[in-house]
Each structure stands twice: as structure tokens, then as C-alpha cells.
């Protein structure tokens, strides 16, 4: 693997950032003349894209479950094959909140830092940095994990050019603080959470624009961007509530079986520790003891609580989360500079195949969604928050 436009003959593939985008070439395919110097966004996208190519060629995937494209040109700002066209368009961040500092959130933070972004940013994240996060997040060290540094504080440390407001609580707490006048109501929200419920909380912020990044799929390699508006399509349009007849979700069933608090189950990346068993009944401790040292997010499968693994949260590899973060930051640049206007976009592709010409669809509000049925109430809430600000 080679970084640059003049690979040696021994290189199987090469990549280089061109402005905010990336150019990938397999052996025998020359690079064109680059359009612009690579930006921080282009650098992270190039690293993540090259890693995806290595993953596909070395991990032993079955035939038909991936594709190797000899030539890749992609820009996450224009969502087209014209990297370098908008390299110098980097807005100052104002009135923006990042909700979630996990795999996608830390990827976003890394990109903002490498872009040299300035301005103000609120980071909403209730959890601390744990040892399993070292290999799946884009920032943070083993020393940070040993110290259990708070993720919001970690974000602030990695954005020295920005005025970062670290809010170490949940999105719902952030909403309450906004309504109490203790926190600033943001115009833009960058979403980096992994559950439907958390996305619905983000939507209740009622920001002018929400840019939500996600990863998942059966192999954990699907990534997506959802652009949302308070009046629709909102995140509830993208993620409708499950049918009431579906019964308790997997997290609730795990809580009922083991006694583990839902707040602890939500920290799925953190391994089960002896301290987690304190206060539980003897039967619950006996049931959980064999799983000490294993990640809590895998307990539902190990204990037979789910029949479909794809329905549960699956942590993605760092290169997948970083590509999702690139879509989020690219959309923020496009929307804030006027490069993108009009209908909201839903972008989705699988890192095993790479970006495709048909990965983008335009979304409309979903009929019957709460954003359509209760638009008047939402307008009143937004007006109240705007006056308070």
C-alpha cells in the first residue's frame, strides 16, 4: 500500500487526498493531475478508504460479499467523483452541537482538528473513555482509558483551536438544560449515536439542521448520512418507532434477566467487571459470572436473547466509522457554504464495496410522522428556545 501519486512497482494499491476527497488506484492505473492540496477531511477519508481496501483483500471475505474497484474518485462534500473542487471551503463552526463522542463522534473530532476548524462546539456525551475504545475510536490512548477520562473532555483536548463546551450528560439532559436557559440552543446538530431512542432524543433538540451519521448492517460495514429538518424529514422519519406489539427490546430483556442497570447496558463496549455484579442477587451473579471480561454489548447474543444479530448494535471497525464521519463533515461543509441546497439527502453505502453512483436518495417527510402531526407544538418550542438564546 502506498500513499502518493508515484507508487513503486511493488505497490498493490495507492491513494492520495485531493482537496476534501480521495483518489484510489490499484496497480496499473495512473493518477490524474491533482486539483488541490489535500485537506484534513481528504486525509482521513484517504486513510479510511485505503484501510477498507486492505481489509477487503486480506480478511478472507467470501466471493460476492465485496468488490474491488480499480479506480475510485470520491468527494464527501459534493458526493461526486470530483475531489479537489471545493478544497478551500471550510466554514467557521458556530452554534453547533456534536451529540455522541463514540466511534463516529471521535472520527468527526479528528477531522475537525485536522481541518483547523475554529469557532464554538458543544460536545454532548455522558460516558467515559474505556480500554475497548482505544482500538475502535479515532482519538484517545491507553493512558486515557486507564484514567477513565470523560469522552467530552477528551474531545475538548483534541480541538485546541475551538471553544469546546463539554457537556458530560445525555441528550435529554442537554434538552432540559436548553429549556432551563443553562445551555445554548444549537442551529446545527451533528449526530453520532447508535440507537433509535438516542436519535429520537436528538430530534427533540429541534435544531435547524441535523446531520446524523451511522454504521451497522449485517457485517457492521454499512455507513450512512441522514440529513434532517425539524419540519421533516426528521430523524423519526428515518427511524420510525418499532411496533408496540414487538415487546421489550433486547436491552430491556437483558436488564430483566440480569439486573444490570440500563445505563450500564448502554455502555456496551466496556467489559463486564466484578464491580458490575455488586448488589445483584445470587442467581443474577451466577448467571453473569461466566461472562466477566466480555463486552456487555455481546451478552444478549451469548445469553440467547436475540434471534437476529443484525437488529442489535454492532460496533464497526474504525475505518467504517471514519468514513461515516467524513460524510457528516462533508455535508456540514456543503450545507453551510451553499454547495448543497434543496431536499434533504440520505447517503448510504457499504465499505466493502465503496461509494456508488446510486448511494444518494432525496428524502421527504414520512406521512403520519410526529414532525407532521405535531408541527405546531414543535414551532412553539423552537420559538421559545430561540427567544431564550
Amino acid at each position: 500500500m502506498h500513499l502518493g501519486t508515484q507508487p513503486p512497482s511493488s505497490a498493490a494499491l495507492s491513494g492520495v487526498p485531493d482537496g476534501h476527497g480521495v483518489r484510489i488506484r490499484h496497480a496499473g492505473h495512473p493518477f490524474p493531475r491533482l486539483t488541490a492540496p489535500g485537506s484534513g477531511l481528504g486525509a482521513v477519508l484517504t486513510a479510511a478508504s485505503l484501510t477498507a481496501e486492505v481489509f477487503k483483500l486480506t480478511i478472507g471475505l467470501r466471493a460476492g460479499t465485496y468488490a474491488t474497484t480499480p479506480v475510485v474518485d470520491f468527494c464527501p462534500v459534493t458526493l461526486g467523483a470530483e475531489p479537489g473542487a471545493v478544497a478551500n471551503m471550510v466554514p467557521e463552526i458556530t452554534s453547533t452541537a456534536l451529540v455522541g463522542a463514540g466511534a463516529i463522534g471521535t472520527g468527526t473530532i479528528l477531522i475537525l482538528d485536522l481541518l483547523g476548524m475554529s469557532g464554538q462546539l458543544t460536545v454532548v456525551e455522558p460516558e467515559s473513555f474505556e480500554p475497548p475504545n482505544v482500538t475502535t475510536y479515532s482519538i484517545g490512548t491507553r493512558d486515557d482509558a486507564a484514567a477513565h477520562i470523560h469522552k467530552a473532555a477528551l474531545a475538548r483536548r483534541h480541538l485546541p483551536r475551538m471553544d469546546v463546551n463539554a457537556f458530560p450528560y445525555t441528550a435529554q439532559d442537554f434538552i432540559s438544560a436548553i429549556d432551563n436557559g443553562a445551555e445554548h440552543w444549537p442551529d446545527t446538530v451533528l449526530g453520532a449515536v447508535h440507537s433509535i431512542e438516542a436519535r429520537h432524543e436528538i430530534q427533540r433538540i429541534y435544531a435547524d439542521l441535523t446531520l446524523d451519521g451511522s454504521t451497522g448492517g449485517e457485517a457492521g460495514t454499512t455507513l450512512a448520512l441522514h440529513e434532517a429538518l425539524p419540519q421533516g424529514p426528521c430523524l423519526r422519519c428515518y427511524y420510525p418507532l418499532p411496533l408496540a406489539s414487538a415487546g421489550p427490546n433486547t436491552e430491556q430483556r437483558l436488564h430483566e434477566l440480569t439486573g444490570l442497570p440500563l445505563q450500564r447496558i448502554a455502555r456496551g463496549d466496556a467489559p463486564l467487571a466484578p464491580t458490575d455484579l455488586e448488589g445483584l442477587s445470587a442467581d443474577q451473579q451466577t448467571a453473569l459470572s461466566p461472562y466477566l471480561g466480555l463486552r456487555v454489548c455481546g451478552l444478549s447474543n451469548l445469553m440467547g436473547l436475540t434471534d437476529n444479530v443484525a437488529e442489535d448494535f454492532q460496533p464497526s471497525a474504525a475505518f467504517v466509522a471514519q468514513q461515516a464521519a467524513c460524510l457528516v463533515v462533508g455535508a456540514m461543509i456543503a450545507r453551510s457554504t451553499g454547495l448543497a441546497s434543496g431536499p434533504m439527502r440520505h447517503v448510504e453505502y457499504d465499505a466493502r464495496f465503496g461509494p456508488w453512483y446510486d448511494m444518494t436518495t432525496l428524502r421527504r417527510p414520512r406521512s403520519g410522522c410526529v414532525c407532521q402531526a405535531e408541527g405546531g407544538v414543535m414551532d412553539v418550542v423552537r420559538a421559545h428556545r430561540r427567544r431564550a438564546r
Side-chain angles (χ1 to χ4, degrees):
M1 181 175 64
H2 176 77
L3 183 65
T5 59
Q6 301 293 327
S9 59
S10 59
L13 73 155
S14 304
V16 66
D18 191 354
H20 291 319
V22 59
R23 296 186 187 273
I24 301 289
R25 297 292 186 275
H26 284 251
H29 297 270
F31 285 91
R33 183 182 181 87
L34 300 185
T35 305
S39 73
L41 174 56
V44 173
L45 181 58
T46 299
S49 299
L50 282 172
T51 306
E53 293 299 309
V54 172
F55 172 84
K56 291 188 291 187
L57 295 174
T58 61
I59 203 66
L61 296 174
R62 297 192 313 273
T65 62
Y66 70 98
T68 300
T69 307
V71 173
V72 176
D73 294 311
F74 175 59
C75 176
V77 178
T78 63
L79 298 179
E82 299 178 359
V86 292
N88 296 323
M89 304 187 75
V90 180
E92 181 180 15
I93 289 183
T94 58
S95 191
T96 300
L98 171 64
V99 182
I104 298 175
T106 56
T108 301
I109 291 164
L110 174 65
I111 296 168
L112 296 180
D113 180 37
L114 293 177
L115 282 173
M117 287 282 199
S118 60
Q120 297 180 332
L121 178 71
T122 297
V123 178
V124 180
E125 172 55 66
E127 298 179 1
S128 298
F129 193 73
E130 303 285 348
N133 303 146
V134 176
T135 55
T136 56
Y137 288 15
S138 293
I139 60 175
T141 66
R142 289 184 174 86
D143 289 341
D144 295 328
H148 296 285
I149 183 174
H150 202 282
K151 293 178 184 178
L154 186 65
R156 180 166 53 196
R157 191 182 76 192
H158 279 266
L159 291 170
R161 302 176 189 86
M162 299 190 69
D163 179 10
V164 177
N165 171 30
F167 188 84
Y169 306 102
T170 67
Q172 184 56 55
D173 293 329
F174 182 56
I175 293 171
S176 299
I178 290 171
D179 289 334
N180 292 334
E183 288 293 332
H184 183 85
W185 181 49
D187 293 331
T188 302
V189 168
L190 309 179
V193 295
H194 62 73
S195 71
I196 293 177
E197 293 80 3
R199 287 184 168 88
H200 289 183
E201 284 187 0
I202 289 176
Q203 186 57 45
R204 288 194 292 271
I205 297 175
Y206 299 139
D208 294 340
L209 176 66
T210 299
L211 303 172
D212 171 70
S214 70
T215 60
E218 293 185 359
T221 54
T222 302
L223 58 119
L225 161 75
H226 315 91
E227 295 183 337
L229 299 172
Q231 63 269 28
C234 71
L235 288 185
R236 287 175 176 265
C237 295
Y238 289 103
Y239 295 94
L241 279 172
L243 296 176
S245 58
N249 61 27
T250 304
E251 290 78 9
Q252 291 168 332
R253 293 169 63 193
L254 184 61
H255 164 67
E256 293 170 1
L257 176 64
T258 66
L260 286 174
L262 288 171
Q263 296 91 335
R264 176 62 185 90
I265 294 172
R267 295 191 293 112
D269 281 347
L272 187 69
T275 54
D276 294 321
L277 275 56
E278 296 176 358
L280 302 183
S281 69
D283 290 342
Q284 291 168 337
Q285 292 186 23
T286 299
L288 285 171
S289 293
Y291 307 111
L292 287 171
L294 301 180
R295 295 186 185 185
V296 171
C297 61
L299 290 183
S300 57
N301 296 325
L302 294 172
M303 303 183 79
L305 295 180
T306 177
D307 297 323
N308 187 352
V309 176
E311 293 179 354
D312 289 305
F313 169 58
Q314 295 180 325
S316 290
F319 69 85
V320 180
Q322 287 171 347
Q323 291 185 49
C326 288
L327 291 181
V328 171
V329 176
M332 181 184 69
I333 293 173
R335 290 290 177 182
S336 61
T337 58
L339 288 171
S341 60
M344 297 291 98
R345 303 168 300 178
H346 173 213
V347 185
E348 182 173 287
Y349 68 89
D350 194 312
R352 293 174 297 168
F353 295 87
W356 290 86
Y357 66 91
D358 60 349
M359 65 183 179
T360 304
T361 57
L362 303 181
R363 293 299 295 261
R364 298 180 182 275
R366 183 173 56 86
S367 177
C369 181
V370 66
C371 67
Q372 305 301 301
E374 300 180 6
V377 174
M378 177 191 65
D379 289 342
V380 171
V381 173
R382 280 171 49 82
H384 166 75
R385 291 173 181 172
R386 185 174 291 106
R387 286 193 301 269
R389 187 176 66 182

